Structure formats: structure tokens, C-alpha cells
Amino acid sequence: MKRLFYATNNLDDAESISDEVHKLGIDDHHFYVLSRDDSGIKSHHLHGSSNIDKTDIIAAKKRAKIMSFGISAIIVAIIALSTNTLNSQLLWAIFAAICAYVVINFILLITGGSFDGYFKSVINERLDSGEVIIIIDVEKAQSKKVEQQLDAHAQAQFLADSSNLASPIPD
């Protein structure tokens, strides 16, 4: 799935955008609003929160852990399949794969954490200025249709897109 981030001026615009994307087949569990106005979110019948730090919807760190584990598992599998017997070479290879996991995980966590921090600061800055952030999870096949709909919406400003792997929209 693909995650789309948009900004708009107020909750009325967010509600209008919500209605538009719902007509395209996006349900409430794939549409999320961030606004400092908790009562406004409820009165507009939107699924959302006032604080991005409570949502964990930006999860570059989690994706980094998954990727580093996957890369290390591939290294171990390749070494195990190329070695006939359990001997000291295999044990050293497994040790090397574990070390690779630690190094890859460290590098990816630093870069992922940097992205998380930067993007959260951008979102918080916009929220503090009174804007509303809209987060939409779409299937790849739906993404072009939703993006075209929102590009045509005068009040929707595209911010970014990413994967939603390891960071589901909160219930």
C-alpha cells in the first residue's frame, strides 16, 4: 500500500476531501486526519487525532528494522545453502550475518530516525499554524485515481508519499 500526505486549511476542507475519497472507495480505516482541534475532528465525524506523536504513522525506524532483519536472513540463508555441513565456517558465517544485521540496523535506524524526526517536525509546524494534515492509505492500483482527485481539489496540498509498511493508521 501507499500512504499519501496532504495539507489543507481547515476541517471543513478535510471533511469535503474525505467525502470525495470515500466515493472513490477509500474507507474510514484508510483515511486519517491530524488537527489541533480535537472537538472539531469529532464534530466533522473524521477519524483522527491532535498529536502525531501518539499515532506512530510515520515509521521509518520500523521499516529499517524489518529491512535489516530481511537482509541478514538472506545472508544467513545464502551461507547456509552454500555450506554442506555444520562446521566452524558456518558458525563464523552466521556470526558475520549477525554482525551485518547490527551494522545495517544501526545505519538504517539513524537514517530512518532522521526522516521520522524531520517529517514529524514539518507536520507539527503545519498543525501549529492551524492547518490540517490528511493521511490516506491506498492500494497502488487506487493511488493514481486518488491523487488525480486531490490534485483537482483546490484546497488539498500534496506533502509527501511513502509506504505504510509497519505503521498502520491507528484505530
Side-chain angles (χ1 to χ4, degrees):
M1 287 189 87
K2 188 174 182 179
R3 176 160 289 157
L4 305 171
F5 293 87
Y6 285 86
T8 191
N9 294 326
N10 55 52
L11 288 167
D12 290 332
D13 293 337
E15 185 175 28
S16 171
I17 292 168
S18 173
D19 293 341
E20 290 175 24
V21 297
H22 280 59
K23 288 177 185 173
L24 297 174
I26 306 297
D27 63 18
D28 278 340
H29 296 292
H30 294 98
F31 188 91
Y32 197 78
V33 174
L34 290 168
S35 170
R36 295 289 189 230
D37 183 2
D38 270 334
S39 61
I41 291 172
K42 290 175 185 164
S43 68
H44 284 80
H45 306 291
L46 294 167
H47 181 216
S49 172
S50 63
N51 190 341
I52 191 163
D53 294 321
K54 294 179 184 176
T55 65
D56 199 30
I57 56 172
I58 300 172
K61 285 183 187 179
K62 286 183 182 178
R63 286 190 291 278
K65 283 185 178 258
I66 291 169
M67 287 176 18
S68 59
F69 178 78
I71 291 168
S72 299
I74 290 169
I75 291 170
V76 168
I78 289 170
I79 293 168
L81 292 173
S82 65
T83 305
N84 292 335
T85 61
L86 183 63
N87 56 29
S88 63
Q89 286 180 336
L90 178 59
L91 293 177
W92 278 109
I94 291 172
F95 176 74
I98 291 169
C99 291
Y101 169 78
V102 171
V103 170
I104 293 167
N105 193 35
F106 178 74
I107 291 168
L108 292 175
L109 282 174
I110 289 173
T111 58
S114 173
F115 172 78
D116 285 356
Y118 168 74
F119 200 55
K120 283 183 179 183
S121 71
V122 168
I123 288 175
N124 279 319
E125 189 176 295
R126 287 185 173 259
L127 291 173
D128 291 343
S129 72
E131 290 183 282
V132 176
I133 305 297
I134 298 168
I135 302 152
I136 308 166
D137 283 347
V138 296
E139 297 290 337
K140 292 205 188 253
Q142 292 176 301
S143 67
K144 288 293 180 204
K145 187 168 47 171
V146 171
E147 289 174 39
Q148 288 172 346
Q149 179 69 34
L150 293 177
D151 286 345
H153 196 288
Q155 301 305 320
Q157 179 187 2
F158 178 77
L159 295 178
D161 63 10
S162 71
S163 166
N164 70 347
L165 177 66
S167 61
I169 284 181
D171 289 330

